[in-house]
Amino acid sequence: MRGVFITLEGADGCGKSTQAARLAERVAATGREVVRLREPGGTSVSEKIRALVLDPANDRIAPECELLLFEASRAQLVREVVEPALGRGAVVVCDRYYDSTYAYQAAGRALPEDVIRRANALGSCGVDPDRTLVLDMPAADALARATRGGADRMEAEGLGFQRRVSEGYLRLAAEEPERVRVVDAAGTVDEVEARLAAELADLLPGLLAQNAGGE
Ligand code: TYD
């Protein structure tokens, strides 16, 4: 049995990390093995790349270099962790994956889309998510939340950049409606969690049984 590969996406500050944790718990409660990951990161090599690519001191990183660093981090994560996990039937919940590269490096940085798609094919080693959940909220609200404790190198790009990122995600969802689902990130953590679970019900039987109030 191949596992299930789920990715969570959205602009900085949309509440993804909280929801990734909730979702992982919910899946684990159905009795399946869950592997929770975040990008960039998840292996010792990928965590080193993460530190490099997000460090505000590295303000001269060229867009092409940035792209290749994200892809390098991803390829290592896929080969070392994602493929083996899917191979043994686990559910992989990954906070960001190649759609982030589309949203940030193509829509945000304006690198050519065909280049990004080919880079993503390489960096993902051909491993595609079964479902991608995009948490959507107004860019200004998300950025304010993300930068409360200080901004990393991407967050420091400002509101116009985050708006392009959000629009990039909406374009992806329009292109691939079966895989990519947009979920309204407004409301309580419980409400958003229930919306996300509903978008996974066909892939993960038992997930909705846990909704408070028996939705
Ligand atoms: P992180 O602190 O993990 O942000 P978040 O909690 O919002 O996920 O930082 C990851 C940053 O890297 C985030 O700003 C998005 C950016 N990023 C890209 O630009 N391209 C990519 O391919 C990936 C995976 C992330």
Side-chain angles (χ1 to χ4, degrees):
M1 174 179 70
R2 182 189 181 268
V4 181
F5 187 18
I6 296 159
T7 59
L8 282 171
E9 296 281 354
D12 295 278
C14 67
K16 237 173 351 69
S17 309
T18 307
Q19 290 298 338
R22 289 282 193 110
L23 186 59
E25 275 172 30
R26 204 182 250 256
V27 175
T30 69
R32 295 196 63 163
E33 183 198 353
V34 184
V35 175
R36 194 179 145 212
L37 302 168
R38 68 161 179 191
E39 270 217 73
T43 72
S44 60
V45 167
S46 310
E47 289 293 334
K48 285 182 180 151
I49 297 174
R50 177 186 178 87
L52 192 68
V53 77
L54 296 182
D55 185 350
N58 291 330
D59 57 355
R60 288 187 306 176
I61 289 186
E64 295 80 2
C65 173
E66 178 182 285
L67 168 65
L68 293 170
L69 287 171
F70 283 120
E71 299 296 358
S73 164
R74 177 166 306 138
Q76 190 60 33
L77 181 70
V78 170
R79 291 294 193 213
E80 204 178 312
V81 184
V82 177
E83 280 185 331
L86 294 176
R88 60 177 189 267
V91 178
V92 176
V93 176
C94 194
D95 187 339
R96 298 195 180 282
Y97 194 59
Y98 59 25
D99 299 301
S100 281
T101 313
Y102 178 86
Y104 284 76
Q105 278 66 52
R109 296 266 188 242
L111 284 171
E113 277 194 32
D114 61 322
V115 172
I116 299 295
R117 288 184 198 276
R118 290 172 64 192
N120 276 345
L122 178 65
S124 67
C125 308
V127 176
D128 299 315
D130 296 298
R131 181 119 331 130
T132 298
L133 305 171
V134 175
L135 284 173
D136 187 47
M137 69 188 292
D141 299 353
L143 187 61
R145 187 150 82 178
T147 54
R148 267 202 304 249
D152 68 24
R153 207 175 58 80
M154 306 303 294
E155 289 156 0
E157 290 295 328
L159 189 55
F161 184 86
Q162 295 293 334
R163 283 217 174 96
R164 290 198 297 282
V165 166
S166 298
E167 287 161 12
Y169 280 127
L170 298 183
R171 274 204 301 281
L172 275 176
E175 262 173 39
E176 286 187 70
E178 177 55 28
R179 176 177 70 88
V180 184
R181 309 281 173 89
V182 178
V183 173
D184 183 2
T188 66
V189 173
D190 286 344
E191 283 164 355
V192 178
E193 183 191 342
R195 284 177 206 141
L196 293 173
E199 296 295 340
L200 298 171
D202 57 327
L203 295 178
L204 296 167
L207 211 58
L208 286 185
Q210 300 163 51
N211 274 356
E215 269 174 61

